[in-house]
Amino acid sequence: SQQGEEDPQALSIQEGENATMNCSYKTSINNLQWYRQNSGRGLVHLILIRSNEREKHSGRLRVTLDTSKKSSSLLITASRAADTASYFCATAGVSETSGSRLTFGEGTQLTVNP
Amino acid sequence: ETGVTQTPRHLVMGMTNKKSLKCEQHLGHNAMYWYKQSAKKPLELMFVYSLEERVENNSVPSRFSPECPNSSHLFLHLHTLQPEDSALYLCASSQIGMGETQYFGPGTRLLVL
């Protein structure tokens, strides 16, 4: 499987419910990021968690990171129809020369039904 | 929407055409990226430019030719493409050493006939 593999591939819930998406990766990381993509558009950064952090919150988002299991989860609480999008995790490491390289997973398609 | 713009937003080209995609970032960043997003596949990193120097080229066919004339602009020159090159091409920028968050443009939807 690939670095940054999301689970499930698709998730359909009702408005007001919580949505949980998981991400697994294989190699050591500097940080892990979650992005959101509306259909056919660019990605929008949601939250970044560093390898020495275990949990982070931002509004209705909660991200956890377990480096021993090489996994992360994204929880969206009290979901809204506007949360319908694809969600990607991306692992980051700094190259030897310069610049930052992100490796993306295949994404979870979240559908929130009104 | 974001500080990264891409033109055109949609492009249809024949296999013998030559076209260019343009990306411009207004965020003062010093690294820029080209990604390819195909259906049912993860984002593929194509090229990385850092401080206007290409630091990564992920085995991309030579029919894709990047150009970074300055830290704010990035081009992807296309020639003799194949139908399997049809995809969403995304540009992103970041500031090296500042959290590695990348800011994406809206993408160019490319269809090769």
Side-chain angles (χ1 to χ4, degrees):
Chain A
S1 58
Q2 299 205 22
Q3 182 88 337
E5 188 172 295
E6 285 93 341
D7 166 54
Q9 289 188 330
L11 179 62
S12 182
I13 59 174
Q14 295 300 122
E15 228 173 5
E17 294 180 340
N18 296 340
T20 299
M21 289 160 269
N22 303 297
C23 170
S24 60
Y25 57 93
K26 293 194 167 185
T27 61
S28 296
I29 60 171
N30 178 288
N31 66 67
L32 186 144
Q33 305 176 33
W34 286 90
Y35 287 80
R36 164 197 168 122
Q37 183 181 34
N38 286 66
S39 180
R41 307 294 298 275
L43 278 72
V44 175
H45 178 259
L46 294 176
I47 195 165
L48 180 153
I49 186 165
R50 298 202 174 275
S51 57
N52 61 352
E53 296 176 308
R54 292 296 167 259
E55 187 170 314
K56 207 160 182 181
H57 297 255
S58 177
R60 294 185 294 114
L61 305 180
R62 173 179 168 246
V63 169
T64 62
L65 179 65
D66 187 335
T67 52
S68 66
K69 295 181 180 177
K70 291 187 167 58
S71 67
S72 173
S73 67
L74 171 67
L75 168 67
I76 303 174
T77 60
S79 64
R80 305 166 182 168
D83 294 329
T84 295
S86 292
Y87 291 83
F88 296 88
C89 71
T91 52
V94 179
S95 67
E96 291 182 1
T97 50
S98 57
S100 299
R101 188 184 190 283
L102 290 180
T103 303
F104 286 82
E106 295 182 18
T108 293
Q109 173 61 49
L110 172 66
T111 302
V112 181
N113 302 298
Chain B
E1 188 177 9
T2 70
V4 181
T5 58
Q6 289 186 244
T7 55
R9 294 293 306 275
H10 301 272
L11 179 61
V12 179
M13 59 187 288
M15 289 190 284
T16 58
N17 291 159
K18 288 185 180 180
K19 296 286 183 184
S20 295
L21 308 185
K22 179 182 175 182
C23 175
E24 185 173 358
Q25 60 98 358
H26 312 274
L27 301 168
H29 289 163
N30 53 18
M32 296 186 78
Y33 313 79
W34 278 118
Y35 288 90
K36 176 184 178 182
Q37 187 177 34
S38 305
K40 311 289 184 187
K41 283 184 161 185
L43 262 73
E44 301 171 49
L45 179 63
M46 301 175 73
F47 301 104
V48 180
Y49 275 84
S50 175
L51 301 172
E52 301 163 37
E53 180 182 340
R54 191 192 313 179
V55 297
E56 191 155 344
N57 175 345
N58 281 342
S59 303
V60 178
S62 59
R63 56 186 184 268
F64 294 92
S65 174
E67 179 190 0
C68 186
N70 55 61
S71 60
S72 300
H73 294 85
L74 185 65
F75 294 89
L76 188 62
H77 303 299
L78 316 172
H79 62 98
T80 60
L81 294 192
Q82 304 298 310
E84 60 264 29
D85 297 323
S86 299
L88 182 68
Y89 288 85
L90 292 163
C91 172
S93 70
S94 73
Q95 184 67 14
I96 300 166
M98 296 292 286
E100 301 87 39
T101 297
Q102 292 186 12
Y103 294 80
F104 284 80
T108 294
R109 174 70 62 186
L110 173 66
L111 177 61
V112 181
L113 301 175

